[in-house]
Amino acid sequence: MTDRSLAERIDEVVLGLASEVEMAEIEALCAIDPTVAAQLERARNRFAVLDDTADRMPIPGDLWSRVETLLDEEAVDEPATLASADIVNFAPLHRTMKTWRATALSGIAAALLLAAGLGWSLLNVAEPTVIAVLLDDRGQPMALVEGNDNNKTLITLLENARVPEDRVMQVWTKPDVDGSPVSLGLLAAQRSRTLSVEGLPPPRADQLYEITYEPLGGSPTNLPTGPILGKGFAKTPVY
Amino acid sequence: MLGVARRMLRRQDLAEDAVQESFVLVWRKSHQFDHGQGQAKSWLYTILRNKCLTLLRNRDREIALDPSEVETASDDAILELAYNRLEQTNDLRVCLETLEPNRRMAILSSYMLGYSHGEIAGRMGAPLGSVKAWVRRGLLTLRECLS
């Protein structure tokens, strides 16, 4: 075991291949050495994109009440344990906690779900410097595009697109009027999301945005090949 | 979140349990959360994945298995669908492309389906030693490619 590199052991923790003992060892190392903790976080981030490939499924409505019930059961157990250990009686505190817990719990859950569901970056998008409404071939608005100087682009779909199973929506823009379209990314889950691209000039008024159907994984040529779902030119909002 | 749990556990009821228990843990551990921006998702998914792995490793669900509740999609189909959902320009995908198929499958099976070395060996019909070597070498290639 000791002849294996730390990097390999960390990767195995992230993949889920490490034994409980091994996991505990790595966690203990993380607790005493921030560089190991950072290494573990980097390894997690390398694979995290695979989590986004799972189907998006709605959380059942009764889940929060089930979570609360579990926490209630716990609260009943804990004071007894603490009392017998002859420490401090936390029962009054627990009772107080219970009254505000439901609110706090749903708050935490909502915040985390928002972060997890929409992508954390969405919460940090600056005010848009350009906005484009993409129209479909019938002239109906199908998506709203909001771009800012950091080239974070929020795409809000305005209708449910019927994407064929072997196709994916890809978002394009033309930073240079005479240049080629550049991919901003895929809307793999057919949901609104924020796309982030490095190295593009800040978006400007009249810049073209469009969404096309492309083969899974995105256009093989890195240029639009499929039919256009929506197309529009950016405007600068008046604040 | 539910989608990740469902993909690993293959059962709606177990997946809901995993998400539910993860939120109980989130509540209990919320004081440990480092509010560094961008880490909330990683933290949440780590808790969820560990919960799913625990459920998988401790499962006695083979006994109580109701075929109607079990997802029937094959492992290959699930992995292929997920792989195809990765953008072609994504760094992880670019690096996964460079791996030999066996190594890639072994790594994806462990991360997405929660398989152990032994389970991967069983499902791929390969000796345990080979699977361990595939994973080890594949991870090494990925680290070099992604660094």
Side-chain angles (χ1 to χ4, degrees):
Chain A
M1 184 174 70
T2 46
D3 60 344
R4 297 197 300 121
S5 76
L6 179 62
E8 182 182 320
R9 293 168 64 196
I10 285 177
D11 273 353
E12 291 198 353
V13 167
V14 173
L15 284 189
L17 288 170
S19 65
E20 280 180 29
V21 175
E22 184 80 357
M23 269 182 77
E25 281 179 16
I26 297 290
E27 275 172 20
L29 278 175
C30 287
I32 55 171
D33 187 345
T35 60
V36 179
Q39 211 176 332
L40 177 65
E41 193 59 31
R42 277 199 302 278
R44 285 209 169 108
N45 289 336
R46 281 203 288 271
F47 289 96
V49 66
L50 290 171
D51 293 329
D52 297 332
T53 64
D55 291 334
R56 283 179 185 269
M57 301 171 78
I59 300 268
D62 65 342
L63 192 107
W64 306 128
S65 59
R66 280 151 59 187
V67 171
E68 264 203 88
T69 310
L70 280 173
L71 287 169
D72 278 342
E73 285 166 10
E74 212 170 75
V76 170
D77 292 347
E78 277 174 33
T81 318
L82 289 165
S84 67
D86 206 19
I87 314 176
V88 183
N89 185 1
F90 279 104
L93 179 62
H94 272 271
R95 273 195 294 277
T96 319
M97 279 174 72
K98 205 178 146 188
T99 56
W100 56 261
R101 193 180 56 210
T103 319
L105 181 70
S106 56
I108 292 176
L112 286 169
L113 275 182
L114 191 67
L118 298 180
W120 188 260
S121 57
L122 176 59
L123 302 176
N124 299 315
V125 172
E127 279 196 332
T129 50
V130 296
I131 296 179
V133 178
L134 308 195
L135 304 179
D136 63 17
D137 55 2
R138 294 168 294 135
Q140 294 299 310
M142 59 79 60
L144 182 70
V145 175
E146 295 168 80
N148 67 22
D149 285 344
N150 300 325
N151 270 302
K152 281 196 170 141
T153 313
L154 170 61
I155 316 287
T156 309
L157 294 176
L158 303 174
E159 59 182 32
N160 282 318
R162 287 190 198 136
V163 186
E165 271 189 11
D166 58 347
R167 290 288 181 271
V168 63
M169 285 191 265
Q170 188 157 8
V171 185
W172 306 89
T173 189
K174 253 172 104 169
D176 178 0
V177 182
D178 301 318
S180 304
V182 178
S183 172
L184 291 177
L186 304 181
L187 302 178
Q190 299 172 37
R191 293 274 293 268
S192 303
R193 64 173 289 205
T194 302
L195 302 170
S196 191
V197 176
E198 303 271 330
L200 289 185
R204 49 174 175 75
D206 294 328
Q207 184 162 322
L208 171 77
Y209 287 89
E210 65 179 18
I211 299 179
T212 60
Y213 282 147
E214 298 295 338
L216 295 175
S219 163
T221 62
N222 221 18
L223 286 172
T225 61
I228 297 171
L229 268 95
K231 183 174 171 177
F233 293 91
K235 296 277 183 199
T236 314
V238 179
Y239 289 118
Chain B
M1 282 185 77
L2 193 55
V4 168
R6 171 72 193 242
R7 184 165 67 184
M8 280 173 94
L9 300 167
R10 303 290 188 98
R11 266 176 55 178
Q12 183 70 19
D13 55 343
L14 289 181
E16 286 181 17
D17 285 351
V19 172
Q20 174 186 319
E21 287 173 31
S22 295
F23 273 107
V24 173
L25 278 175
V26 164
W27 171 260
R28 273 199 225 138
K29 291 186 172 182
S30 52
H31 61 284
Q32 292 175 10
F33 175 56
D34 172 2
H35 289 270
Q37 282 187 340
Q39 303 307 314
K41 185 176 173 185
S42 168
W43 185 65
L44 194 59
Y45 274 84
T46 299
I47 288 176
L48 177 69
R49 287 177 44 75
N50 286 342
K51 178 53 68 184
C52 290
L53 286 169
T54 308
L55 283 172
L56 278 175
R57 301 284 183 258
N58 299 340
R59 69 183 155 191
D60 51 354
R61 65 195 172 100
E62 305 290 353
I63 305 161
L65 209 63
D66 175 353
S68 65
E69 288 178 348
V70 181
E71 196 177 282
T72 51
S74 75
D75 293 353
D76 287 352
I78 293 171
L79 294 179
E80 194 183 339
L81 178 66
Y83 188 62
N84 281 328
R85 282 179 177 173
L86 286 177
E87 294 186 28
Q88 280 185 338
T89 50
N90 176 274
D91 293 340
L92 181 66
R93 166 134 185 189
V94 169
C95 293
L96 281 167
E97 297 259 15
T98 67
L99 297 186
E100 287 172 23
N102 281 340
R103 294 180 187 180
R104 184 167 62 230
M105 287 299 273
I107 287 172
L108 291 178
S109 307
S110 62
Y111 190 88
M112 293 198 279
L113 305 177
Y115 287 169
S116 64
H117 284 119
E119 284 169 320
I120 298 169
R123 312 233 177 194
M124 292 178 73
L128 183 61
S130 305
V131 169
K132 287 188 171 175
W134 290 341
V135 171
R136 200 168 56 240
R137 290 184 195 138
L139 287 174
L140 180 63
T141 310
L142 284 183
R143 281 199 301 277
E144 285 170 354
C145 179
L146 289 164
S147 64

